[in-house]
Amino acid sequence: MGVDLNISICIPTWEQYGFGRKFLRELLTSIKKQTFTNYNVIISDHSESDGIEEILSEFDMDFIYVKNETKRGNGPANTNNALKYANGEIIKVMFQDDLFVNNDALQLIHDTYINNDCGWLVSGCNHTTDGKTFSREMVPSWNDKILEGVNTISSPSVLSFKNNNILYFDEKLVMLMDCEYYHQLFLQYGKPFVLPNILISNRTHKHQISSTYSGNLNDEIKYVKDKYDNR
């Protein structure tokens, strides 16, 4: 199969209402179980405290830790900051409250890039509330209304892409940050390669963005429509 490609796992972190350390510890534990080991972990930390950084000593991993003191509270900006430090040939996005549920996840992602001509990949996922029980499996699919918020792909935690002419999340968006990014990738690479295997779990909880969002989704839809109509 040739030389392994290195994977950079990019994780934007913050206190997350006191749950950030717990969620990140569970995510890192799931990474530590991966059979594929040619990876590093990029953490861009929006926390005001040192709590996130302190737990990294519990894990024997190749970390790049960056304390991000700019645009605190802006999730897309913190994600972008993590992407800027990624040095692997493949970038895997993971949000800190999600986790891997297949120990071969990184191996399957790696092998898909080796064996297929794809610029970006999305994998199957399920959902959890406690990190232990799982339900609602989902296999991503592309649709032409992605910019309208019809998200048939799921969260960015299902996403990986080649570290080539890297794209960045639109920092003016909240609810549509993922859909707009998928559209960017579509314009650059075409439709995603869909890996149907259930590799990650999206955590649902009362502090997730969809539960705390106070903006107007229609304003975001209009913004992205105007953004691309004017190109």
Side-chain angles (χ1 to χ4, degrees), residues 175-194:
M175 291 297 289
L176 290 185
M177 68 169 283
D178 47 7
C179 289
E180 190 274 341
Y181 195 73
Y182 302 151
H183 183 72
Q184 288 192 60
L185 288 165
F186 170 74
L187 294 179
Q188 178 157 302
Y189 294 114
K191 293 181 181 179
F193 188 98
V194 176

Side-chain angles (χ1 to χ4, degrees), residues 45 51 71 81 107 110-111 121 139 141 164 178 187 206:
D45 187 14
K71 300 182 180 179
N81 193 58
Q107 186 69 61
H110 171 272
D111 292 352
L121 178 156
V139 175
S141 62
N164 176 32
D178 47 7
L187 294 179
K206 66 179 180 179

